[in-house]
Amino acid sequence: MNEADQRATTPGESDERYQEGVVDLLAALAYGELSAFDRLAEDARTAPTLTGRAALSSMAAAEIGHFRMLQQALADRGVAVEEAMQPFAQPFDEFNASTAPHSWLESLVKAYVGDGLAADFYREVAEWLDADTRELVLAVLADTGHSAFAEREVQGACADDRSLRDKLTLWGRRLLGEAITQAQHVVVERDALAELIIKGSGDLTGVGAMFRRLQNNHTKRMGNLGLG
Amino acid sequence: MNEADQRATTPGESDERYQEGVVDLLAALAYGELSAFDRLAEDARTAPTLTGRAALSSMAAAEIGHFRMLQQALADRGVAVEEAMQPFAQPFDEFNASTAPHSWLESLVKAYVGDGLAADFYREVAEWLDADTRELVLAVLADTGHSAFAEREVQGACADDRSLRDKLTLWGRRLLGEAITQAQHVVVERDALAELIIKGSGDLTGVGAMFRRLQNNHTKRMGNLGLG
């Protein structure tokens, strides 16, 4: 089968390798939701007001709603979410450990930038999936209200503070770098997932183009926060 | 109005003092849900398995579902939940600070015993409320699945470990003592809530009888964990 034929292939349930890649994708998403829950719950604890605390707690709860959808989708495929998530725990945890925020605003930027990058990536991948899986992936990417909240808080805090703005801009760049590093670790370890991405992008040039789109969107996103 | 007449009074929307007590009650419940969310999210982080982590995160999310019902009920009464909760933050936080668990099992016992005591108390109070408020209170007390989970884990861990069982039994007694101390602080500070309780119980003798029922249920609950 030549490359053009590969690209034309519509994924089907019969394709075992494709199914393996999909399970990886859903499991990575699921661990991402658990991580997001954890991070938002932690941020809720340090929120400067009870209003902020209630808002962030509600967003955290919404992530768990997404997690349960993924858990169900994996169960429908005969896969236990806990086992499927195991390979993704380390890279996600390392990303979080290497980018532990030192302030409420760093937390907000991290959640905004991290969720945005992840959502862009999964949305690209969703295009190559069968209709049911695509619908599920897009549903769990639905913003839980965090974005508008973060934009308001960060813009407000930076409006009259140039040095804070510069500091948070550097923070955003560092987050992008660490995210790419950990994403590469994942792809190297998970063959079926890597194939899904390469096949979907067309070829390695296509993968490169996708990464540039992710970086461009990251820059726009920093702009939305009033940074960069 | 003599005491017998007071007891016979059915609370109505026109009774301002009653409404004030109800707002306090709903606000205390709401802060309790936020605290429970926080505690469960923290416990999820230290869960020994991904299964435990997912289970506790889901329970935490369910608490937020309850919180939002209370937030809505207060909004319907023209009250912002954030403001109404303020007076209850300190006693709840002091209870939590004075009973910080040192292990996964202490966390589970604390959640089980604390939620059980709170639920018993609110269920008693619910009996004296107008039908709509009673229904709301009973709905937000619905167990989020934590109890069965805690019973399994604690019974399993203590089955062959007498010294652990003794240690957790003492822990349960301390929790009861601290809970009563903080409950007293709340009641002393919140006149309308105190009136609601005294009027509902009939008189101070009735309040005493209610406290004995709470203590008896606590003892039974410790038995369910295989402790006491």
Side-chain angles (χ1 to χ4, degrees):
Chain A
M1 194 157 63
N2 67 29
E3 201 183 285
D5 284 338
Q6 277 196 328
R7 220 180 308 174
T9 305
T10 308
E13 292 192 6
S14 58
D15 185 339
E16 270 185 38
R17 193 70 172 165
Y18 167 73
Q19 289 300 337
E20 211 182 310
V22 164
V23 164
D24 265 3
L25 189 75
L26 299 182
L29 266 166
Y31 196 80
E33 297 286 358
L34 264 195
S35 289
F37 166 83
D38 200 35
R39 194 194 56 214
L40 287 166
E42 181 78 46
D43 289 351
R45 188 172 298 128
T46 59
T49 63
L50 267 183
T51 307
R53 179 167 161 196
L56 285 168
S57 300
S58 290
M59 292 168 203
E63 306 286 354
I64 291 299
H66 293 164
F67 171 79
R68 293 176 73 103
M69 288 165 72
L70 293 159
Q71 181 176 33
Q72 186 57 52
L74 286 164
D76 292 345
R77 287 164 170 83
V79 177
V81 66
E82 294 86 357
E83 281 169 38
M85 289 191 301
Q86 288 289 2
F88 302 102
Q90 197 184 333
F92 275 86
D93 292 351
E94 280 180 4
F95 171 75
N96 282 320
S98 68
T99 58
H102 296 97
S103 71
W104 165 246
L105 289 168
E106 284 192 3
S107 285
L108 288 180
V109 172
K110 177 175 170 180
Y112 184 82
V113 159
D115 290 354
L117 268 173
D120 280 349
F121 168 73
Y122 288 120
R123 266 192 209 102
E124 294 249 5
V125 178
E127 293 306 309
W128 319 321
L129 302 175
D130 59 283
D132 284 355
T133 312
R134 181 165 56 238
E135 204 178 307
L136 170 68
V137 170
L138 295 177
V140 302
L141 293 179
D143 182 28
T144 57
H146 190 275
S147 297
F149 182 80
E151 286 173 12
R152 268 198 316 274
E153 295 273 324
V154 177
Q155 281 173 11
C158 291
D160 299 316
D161 189 338
R162 189 180 183 85
S163 92
L164 179 62
R165 194 159 65 233
D166 292 346
K167 213 177 131 197
L168 291 176
T169 299
L170 283 177
W171 174 241
R173 275 184 217 149
R174 181 147 153 246
L175 290 167
L176 177 67
E178 294 286 342
I180 289 174
T181 303
Q182 293 303 331
Q184 282 167 339
H185 286 179
V186 168
V187 171
V188 166
E189 292 289 327
R190 308 301 297 175
D191 289 348
L193 186 59
E195 269 179 42
L196 185 72
I197 294 168
I198 294 168
K199 217 162 158 179
S201 315
D203 52 28
L204 286 176
T205 312
V207 175
M210 179 177 82
F211 268 91
R212 275 191 300 282
R213 286 193 297 278
L214 295 181
Q215 294 194 13
N216 287 339
N217 284 345
H218 171 76
T219 306
K220 279 183 212 154
R221 211 171 285 119
M222 292 295 285
N224 294 342
L225 291 174
L227 305 175
Chain B
M1 194 157 67
N2 67 30
E3 202 183 283
D5 283 339
Q6 278 195 326
R7 222 181 305 177
T9 306
T10 308
E13 292 193 5
S14 58
D15 185 340
E16 270 184 38
R17 194 68 173 166
Y18 167 73
Q19 289 300 337
E20 210 182 309
V22 165
V23 164
D24 265 2
L25 189 75
L26 299 182
L29 266 166
Y31 195 81
E33 298 286 358
L34 264 195
S35 291
F37 166 83
D38 201 36
R39 194 194 56 215
L40 286 166
E42 181 79 48
D43 289 351
R45 187 170 300 129
T46 59
T49 62
L50 267 183
T51 308
R53 179 166 161 197
L56 285 169
S57 300
S58 289
M59 291 170 205
E63 305 286 354
I64 292 299
H66 293 163
F67 172 79
R68 293 176 73 103
M69 288 165 71
L70 292 159
Q71 182 176 34
Q72 186 56 52
L74 285 164
D76 292 346
R77 287 165 170 81
V79 177
V81 66
E82 294 86 357
E83 281 168 40
M85 289 190 301
Q86 288 290 1
F88 301 101
Q90 197 184 334
F92 275 86
D93 293 352
E94 281 180 4
F95 171 74
N96 282 320
S98 68
T99 59
H102 296 97
S103 71
W104 165 247
L105 289 168
E106 283 192 3
S107 285
L108 289 179
V109 172
K110 177 174 169 179
Y112 184 84
V113 159
D115 291 354
L117 267 173
D120 279 350
F121 168 72
Y122 289 119
R123 263 191 211 104
E124 294 250 4
V125 177
E127 292 304 310
W128 318 320
L129 302 175
D130 59 283
D132 285 354
T133 312
R134 181 166 56 237
E135 203 179 311
L136 171 68
V137 169
L138 295 178
V140 302
L141 292 180
D143 182 27
T144 58
H146 190 274
S147 297
F149 182 81
E151 286 172 14
R152 268 197 316 273
E153 294 273 323
V154 177
Q155 281 172 9
C158 292
D160 298 316
D161 189 339
R162 187 178 184 89
S163 94
L164 178 62
R165 194 160 66 230
D166 291 347
K167 212 176 131 198
L168 291 175
T169 299
L170 283 177
W171 174 242
R173 275 185 216 148
R174 185 153 144 238
L175 291 166
L176 177 67
E178 294 287 341
I180 289 174
T181 303
Q182 293 303 331
Q184 282 167 339
H185 286 178
V186 168
V187 170
V188 166
E189 292 290 326
R190 308 301 298 175
D191 288 349
L193 185 59
E195 268 179 42
L196 185 71
I197 294 168
I198 294 168
K199 218 162 156 181
S201 314
D203 52 28
L204 286 174
T205 311
V207 175
M210 179 178 82
F211 269 90
R212 275 191 300 282
R213 285 194 297 279
L214 294 181
Q215 295 195 12
N216 286 340
N217 283 344
H218 171 77
T219 306
K220 280 184 210 154
R221 211 172 283 120
M222 292 294 285
N224 294 342
L225 291 173
L227 305 175

